[in-house]
Amino acid sequence: MQSKPSVFLLVEDNADDAFFMERAFRRAGLKNPLRIVTNGDEAINYLDGAASYADREQFPFPELVFLDLKMPGRDGFDVLHWVRRERRLDVPVAVLTSSPEEVDRRRASELGADEYLIKPPTKDVILECCRRFALRCE
Amino acid sequence: LSAAAASPSDVSSGDPAGLLAAIVSSSTDAILSKDLGGRITSWNRGAEHLFGYAADEAIGRSIDLISPPDRASEEAALLERVGRGEHVEHFETVRRRKDGSLVEVSINLSPIRDHAGAIIGASSVARDIGEQRRAQERLRVTLDSIGDAVVSTDVDGTVIFMNPVAERMIGCDSAEASGRHVDQVIRITSEVTGERLTIPVQEALRSEDPVRWPSRALLGGAHGAHPVEGTVAAIRSDIGTIGGIVFVFRDISRRRQAELAANRLAAIVSGSDDAIVSKDLNGIVTSWNAGAERVFGWTEREMLGQSILKVIPPERHHEEPDILARFQRGSRVDHFETVRVRKDGTRIDVSLTISPIRDEEGRVVGASKIARDVTEVKAAQAMLERHARELEEKVRERTAMLEESIGDLEAFSYSLSHDLRAPLRAIRGFSEVLSEDYGEHLGDGTRFLDRIMAASERMERLIQDVLAFARLAHQHPPLVPVDVDRVARELIAERPELQLPRADVTVPEPLPAVVGHEATVIQCLSNLLDNAVKFVPPGTLPKVCISAEAEGDCTRICVADNGIGIEPEAQQRLFELFHRVATSGTYHGTGLGLAIVRKAAERMNGQVGVRSSPGKGSTFWLELPTA
């Protein structure tokens, strides 16, 4: 169990951005599992092990969440609120957004985000995150 | 006349001397005689009664017995006159009684002669005139004191008396007038025609009652003509004989003036547009002018004697006791705005002014009430208020719209920063993917990928600038001291394009602190420096110098370059939104940099400017309040 590589969860509604994340992973040489959900509700279900995500073998609990902010339905802030305030989960969350706005940065920090990354993600940023959160890389 | 007191029985004796003695004896007047030496020789009962001395007490004594000490010489003088054969009549003087009291007397003195005709003494008849005098005096004082003028004449009209009021009004004194005919003394003319008027004396002589003078009479006096009213009456004795004529009259100037004033006021009241109403303390209407008829619809006849409550709507009947209480304390009620009801039942807005009506002793006996119909004024006020409300409503709407616009702008900015960037990111990202993963298959095609990436970078900058400008447009950052020197040096240190070998940017002197917003100041400096190093002739090393100039209470941060310079006519438009001086082929820019600086300066209560000439570089300055 201990030797199993860390699982990442990417919450991203934009397929292009998801592609760039996967590419950044590849370029960083990471073979860790990167599970992708495309909206806030799915993210909550995944983290909750609810609905179709009940199987933790197939959908392991992640050790880092990359969270987009702007999404249809429940957005990134809603997910952050659910994670930190409602379920009080301590999984690391790195906000990954195109917004450099101070107001978004502040709000994310208040809701308990651990990182605030501006898109696009690069391999250096990914590796820095792995180091910072002591993730097991493969 | 030696007998002191003859008995009444003597009268019947038929002796003439005895008869005379009886008369003297029974007279109520004091009759006494004295010799030329002043010794009393006879003293009748009247004298006993008047002076208090019995006959045997007086006879043989000096007449000085009854003279007050201050009139001691008077008797001697009188005797001397009588001794010369004179009669002294109605000599009024004072004598002293036995008890010491004084008595006013009128004395007639006659010589007494002996058979030879020689004067041997004097007979003296003294009458007590005190009572009579007092009665006369009372009458005089009364006539003098009454406010009316009194003139009396004999039956023929000859003036015999005028009281002081008459003297004043006619303008001559009693002595002047006495003996003249009353027609010459009292002259009245018609106030209307100016003709002489006749006082109806003959009518008065025939009448039992006083007869009025003609109306509107003017009496010519020393001080001009005065309106007078008067009566004339016959003076009748108890038995009905006419002893004279009395004229009683008075100056009615004041009353006339008061009447005039009252008439004027009445005319004002009746002509007033306002309702003017008076009522007694029970609220019963005592007067009702034409204005009240018009305002309330009820006629005077309908309202006189009626309760004022008739014009007060039932729900406001409670106001009346309050108002009554207020003016009974003597206070006026001014511009009390309330509602009254008309005869036809419609309500009107009125402004009431209520004043107490007082009697001559100052007691409040009623109230006068002026009611002004302010229905139209109220309507106008209401309309004004409605307009004001509408205006407020509009302002609120516009404000809301504006806030909505600002909200829209913020949402737009937010949308720009997210949505617009996503496709841009995709363009750049996939260009990179192509370039990195498939570069060797593209050959010369990679040049186009480079240009796609350069274009998307420019677009990214444009988006950033638009966002920066939008933020400045709707944000009001707090203004605090900013350490410009540190900010400028840090900015240069973290931007490779502002350092050698790409550019030579220097801050030779420390820069003073200003009042502003640090992030905004950084944005301004950054934009100015970007421009300064950008617009240089090709192949030239950009040399930029940052310095400060004091400008009154402000500090100018100057950014001087060795660039291409700017035509004077172009300088004015430099700071406009999306204005670009350089052609896009040579220099890249969004056209927003200086507009952002200008907007930022405005937000921080400062300004921007430029000094430049073509070929000699430019100096852009940002002026902010010195900290």
Side-chain angles (χ1 to χ4, degrees), chain B residues 560-589:
Chain B
D561 63 41
N562 62 337
I564 53 179
I566 305 153
E567 299 282 350
E569 54 270 28
Q571 291 175 12
Q572 294 166 358
R573 302 192 57 207
L574 269 180
F575 297 93
E576 290 174 15
L577 205 53
F578 292 111
H579 177 76
R580 293 171 64 194
V581 175
T583 52
S584 60
T586 323
Y587 303 98
H588 299 299

Side-chain angles (χ1 to χ4, degrees), chain B residues 514-537:
Chain B
V514 296
V515 176
H517 177 246
E518 183 166 305
T520 309
V521 171
I522 292 170
Q523 171 113 58
C524 291
L525 278 180
S526 170
N527 288 11
L528 291 178
L529 287 170
D530 281 347
N531 279 351
V533 299
K534 193 191 295 172
F535 298 107
V536 288

Side-chain angles (χ1 to χ4, degrees), chain B residues 156-171:
Chain B
D156 299 324
T158 304
V159 172
I160 52 178
F161 174 80
M162 279 170 88
N163 76 345
V165 177
E167 287 180 335
R168 267 201 310 280
M169 280 180 64
I170 294 168

Side-chain angles (χ1 to χ4, degrees), chain B residues 97-416:
Chain B
R97 289 200 181 93
K98 186 182 178 187
D99 64 8
S101 65
L102 298 177
V103 59
E104 285 179 78
V105 291
S106 170
I107 300 172
N108 285 353
L109 281 171
S110 308
I112 301 173
R113 297 174 192 270
D114 62 11
H115 298 293
I119 296 169
I120 55 166
S123 75
S124 174
V125 181
R127 174 171 295 177
D128 178 2
I129 56 166
E131 192 50 45
Q132 184 190 348
R133 183 174 280 272
R134 278 191 291 279
Q136 273 179 355
E137 183 65 12
R138 269 200 300 277
L139 185 62
R140 189 186 64 77
V141 169
T142 304
L143 287 174
D144 285 0
S145 303
I146 61 176
D148 288 351
V150 178
V151 174
S152 62
T153 67
D154 62 16
V155 189
D156 299 324
T158 304
V159 172
I160 52 178
F161 174 80
M162 279 170 88
N163 76 345
V165 177
E167 287 180 335
R168 267 201 310 280
M169 280 180 64
I170 294 168
C172 70
D173 64 30
S174 215
E176 267 178 82
S178 288
R180 290 166 68 193
H181 194 268
V182 69
D183 284 351
Q184 294 172 316
V185 176
I186 306 176
R187 301 167 74 95
I188 60 171
T189 54
S190 165
E191 190 181 16
V192 184
T193 64
E195 286 167 12
R196 180 82 194 263
L197 293 174
T198 308
I199 297 172
V201 173
Q202 295 311 314
E203 208 181 317
L205 289 175
R206 288 192 298 270
S207 171
E208 293 284 323
D209 298 314
V211 177
R212 287 187 172 282
W213 290 9
S215 62
R216 321 212 56 177
L218 288 178
L219 176 73
H223 305 291
H226 289 275
V228 289
E229 64 172 25
T231 57
V232 52
I235 300 173
R236 290 172 200 277
S237 69
D238 293 344
I239 54 169
T241 55
I242 294 175
I245 307 164
V246 61
F247 301 80
V248 179
F249 51 98
R250 63 190 66 91
D251 187 339
I252 58 168
S253 302
R254 282 215 182 144
R255 200 173 75 201
R256 185 63 63 80
Q257 277 167 8
E259 276 169 8
L260 274 176
N263 287 343
R264 249 194 318 270
L265 287 177
I268 291 169
V269 168
S270 69
S272 170
D273 271 353
D274 292 335
I276 302 178
V277 170
S278 63
K279 59 186 180 183
D280 64 18
L281 288 180
N282 298 316
I284 302 300
V285 173
T286 50
S287 78
W288 188 264
N289 76 339
E293 292 190 352
R294 204 178 39 71
V295 169
F296 295 113
W298 278 287
T299 63
E300 182 180 18
R301 195 189 303 175
E302 286 171 315
M303 283 307 291
L304 284 185
Q306 299 288 314
S307 168
I308 195 71
L309 289 178
K310 218 166 164 178
V311 301
I312 304 180
E315 71 273 13
R316 288 181 185 263
H317 278 184
H318 65 275
E319 283 176 2
E320 193 62 12
D322 292 349
I323 292 170
L324 274 168
R326 277 173 74 174
F327 75 71
Q328 268 178 329
R329 291 196 301 270
S331 59
R332 278 163 57 96
V333 177
D334 265 330
H335 305 303
F336 175 68
E337 299 221 336
T338 182
V339 176
R340 290 294 177 254
V341 63
R342 287 173 50 88
K343 188 183 182 184
D344 62 13
T346 53
R347 303 291 163 99
I348 49 171
D349 295 304
V350 293
S351 167
L352 294 183
T353 297
I354 304 166
S355 319
I357 301 174
R358 296 171 189 279
D359 66 8
E360 285 140 8
E361 286 158 19
R363 281 184 306 226
V364 177
V365 292
S368 81
K369 198 177 223 180
I370 301 178
R372 173 163 297 179
D373 184 351
V374 292
T375 307
E376 280 176 29
V377 176
K378 280 267 177 160
Q381 268 175 357
M383 201 152 80
L384 266 180
E385 278 165 20
R386 200 178 65 237
H387 282 316
R389 265 200 310 278
E390 281 173 6
L391 198 63
E392 256 172 53
E393 188 56 37
K394 272 193 183 130
V395 168
R396 252 199 305 279
E397 273 172 29
R398 295 282 156 84
T399 307
M401 278 167 64
L402 200 61
E403 279 168 358
E404 201 181 309
S405 306
I406 292 171
D408 284 350
L409 189 64
E410 284 175 10
F412 174 71
S413 310
Y414 194 80
S415 182
L416 262 183

Side-chain angles (χ1 to χ4, degrees), chain B residues 482-494:
Chain B
V482 175
D483 182 354
V484 185
D485 194 70
R486 172 183 57 79
V487 159
R489 292 177 200 278
E490 281 176 4
L491 185 62
I492 297 164
E494 70 191 27

